[in-house]
Amino acid sequence: GRSQKVYCIEASSLAETTKEIVAANNLLHKITVLNMLAEDVELPEGGCDIIVSEWMGYFLLYENMLSPVLEFRDKWLRNGGLILPSSVKLMSALYSDPRFWNSRVTFWNDVYGFDFSPVKNVLIQEQFLWPERQHLEASNLASGVAEVFSIDAYNATKESLQEIRSALSYRLPRTCPCHGAAFWFKALFELSDGSVVTLDTGPEAGYNHWSQVIWYFEEPIQLDTAETSIAEGHFSMDAGTGGAFNVEFYLTTPTPVYKAAQEQNPDTIYQDIFERLEGERAFALKQAADTAPEWPQETTYWDGEADELLTSSSEARFSAVSRYLRDIYYSKSAWRKTAFLTSMVLFGFILGRCFAYKRVSRLKGHRKTQ
């Protein structure tokens, strides 16, 4: 490009890989990688003309990365400079997904002829208490899209992010059950030539890296357009301790629903692994169908032929891993056996600690909401 000098600021160890990428593309004379926090940077030129930062997270602010960007802006951005994205909006819609609700909740009413319904209460308390990440379907949106709040990167301050209050108003286009409220963001890149590029991470934009946040209700509510065409409520987000946030969602009409989650950050976002794999599977099938004629063109959720192809491919990889582990376990080398068993014990210990931490965090959040 036409930039005379570019500084890439990365606080993690990924900075070393970034340096290698810069060198591989013969751009060391133009791009300097700084392995440090943005707050600690000192620019030799005394300022910059453009700031580009991907600070957005769940509910926009969960990553808690905007404040350093604003501090960097106030210290280094020259008059008339650009910030990209220039503004970002948190969007929301009510969501209806009977199939998902039946597979995760109603399923327990009859498990091979046995009544496991007491599991539902435990599941709802553990998995629906806080928001979770999912790849949502646009066809399941139960309302029009509402703007929750927006952030102007040029004028926002750290103080303005401490308390956010917004009124919600959803247009209701159809009668259906509603299982939760969905949230995502839309980023606008306003360029110096007056053009605007939009990054939309909503369900209607298709599969994307950020996916969406869905906050399930404890029980579905009914949306009936014969009774009302608008659903209303409130949303709030307050800065908590250690960069975390306290979030509240209150639907007042047509049926009251109140949700609250304290001390939220990226680690508190639950994600169903099966759901994630299904979303990535559908995306992979679509991409493969466009480039490989042997893949089926139909990419629906229950496409049998596509499922068989993907399953056989996955089984081949799992078999290879299984053979590798079996060869190590039955190896005559005592060192290989010891290394294998030690790694399995360490893996189990780390996994157990992770589950224990998540469990304690959820229990603390549950007690705070009571």
Side-chain angles (χ1 to χ4, degrees):
R2 289 175 291 181
S3 300
Q4 295 179 357
K5 187 66 179 179
V6 175
Y7 290 96
C8 176
I9 305 169
E10 176 55 56
S12 74
S13 59
L14 187 61
E16 294 304 316
T17 304
T18 306
K19 292 178 182 178
E20 295 176 8
I21 294 174
V22 173
N25 289 274
N26 300 315
L27 289 172
L28 288 172
H29 65 288
K30 181 175 288 190
I31 302 177
T32 298
V33 180
L34 303 176
N35 188 193
M36 61 179 66
L37 295 171
E39 300 92 316
D40 300 330
V41 170
E42 294 291 332
L43 296 180
E45 289 80 6
C48 64
D49 299 303
I50 303 175
I51 296 175
V52 182
S53 178
E54 193 279 291
W55 52 264
M56 299 80 73
Y58 310 121
F59 283 117
L60 261 189
L61 299 175
Y62 268 27
E63 298 286 349
N64 197 33
M65 290 172 57
L66 179 55
S67 292
V69 174
L70 300 181
E71 183 177 329
F72 192 89
R73 174 203 66 190
D74 294 341
K75 186 175 182 181
W76 298 111
L77 186 65
R78 296 190 177 104
N79 290 333
L82 292 179
I83 306 178
L84 301 175
S86 47
S87 63
V88 184
K89 303 175 181 180
L90 180 66
M91 314 302 292
S92 177
L94 299 178
Y95 196 72
S96 176
D97 194 350
R99 186 185 66 180
F100 177 84
W101 186 268
N102 290 336
S103 66
R104 195 187 281 194
V105 180
T106 311
F107 162 82
W108 297 103
N109 291 338
D110 183 358
V111 182
Y112 300 104
F114 293 94
D115 183 355
F116 274 67
S117 56
V119 173
K120 293 192 297 184
N121 293 331
V122 177
L123 182 146
I124 289 172
Q125 286 299 315
E126 290 193 351
Q127 296 187 12
F128 292 179
L129 177 66
W130 288 353
E132 68 175 80
R133 173 188 176 187
Q134 276 195 27
H135 298 287
L136 304 177
E137 296 289 338
S139 59
N140 288 339
L141 295 181
S143 74
V145 177
E147 179 181 320
V148 183
F149 66 87
S150 63
I151 296 175
D152 182 344
Y154 291 99
N155 299 311
T157 64
K158 290 193 289 186
E159 291 72 25
S160 67
L161 305 177
Q162 296 301 302
E163 293 185 2
I164 295 174
R165 302 284 186 274
S166 298
L168 298 173
S169 180
Y170 301 104
R171 179 181 56 83
L172 304 179
R174 61 191 177 102
T175 296
C176 63
C178 176
H179 299 92
F183 299 86
W184 64 90
F185 69 84
K186 182 184 293 185
L188 303 181
F189 296 74
E190 301 175 44
L191 307 180
S192 56
D193 62 0
S195 61
V196 179
V197 177
T198 301
L199 169 64
D200 188 350
T201 64
E204 295 174 323
Y207 184 94
N208 62 79
H209 160 75
W210 294 272
S211 61
Q212 296 85 40
V213 169
I214 175 72
W215 208 345
Y216 283 107
F217 304 156
E218 278 73 13
E219 59 182 32
I221 64 173
Q222 185 66 21
L223 303 178
D224 190 344
T225 56
E227 297 180 358
T228 181
S229 60
I230 298 292
E232 296 180 324
H234 304 278
F235 177 89
S236 69
M237 177 181 288
D238 299 335
T241 59
F245 288 89
N246 304 319
V247 186
E248 291 185 336
F249 170 86
Y250 183 26
L251 191 68
T252 55
T253 61
T255 303
V257 175
Y258 177 73
K259 303 288 292 184
Q262 278 71 40
E263 300 298 318
Q264 296 292 288
N265 59 59
D267 292 334
T268 63
I269 285 285
Y270 171 82
Q271 179 169 21
D272 184 87
I273 298 301
F274 173 77
E275 185 280 329
R276 178 178 180 180
L277 291 176
E278 279 295 337
E280 294 178 352
R281 164 192 174 277
F283 177 75
L285 286 174
K286 184 179 186 306
Q287 297 300 309
D290 293 339
T291 57
E294 66 272 17
W295 283 79
Q297 295 300 308
E298 295 294 328
T299 59
T300 57
Y301 190 96
W302 294 112
D303 188 288
E305 184 181 0
D307 193 62
E308 289 178 7
L309 282 169
L310 194 63
T311 299
S312 61
S313 175
S314 301
E315 287 179 348
R317 286 166 174 76
F318 282 128
S319 296
V321 172
S322 178
R323 287 195 300 271
Y324 174 74
L325 294 176
R326 187 172 60 250
D327 290 344
I328 292 178
Y329 185 77
Y330 290 107
S331 170
K332 294 181 180 179
S333 169
W335 181 88
R336 292 187 73 188
K337 280 188 174 181
T338 302
F340 171 74
L341 293 174
T342 302
S343 64
M344 290 296 99
V345 170
L346 288 175
F347 175 75
F349 175 75
I350 294 171
L351 192 63
R353 288 291 299 272
C354 290
F355 275 112
Y357 172 78
K358 296 281 283 186
R359 175 64 175 169
V360 170
S361 297
R362 287 183 175 277
L363 287 174
K364 285 182 178 179
H366 178 55
R367 292 193 185 103
K368 289 180 180 180
T369 58
Q370 291 181 328

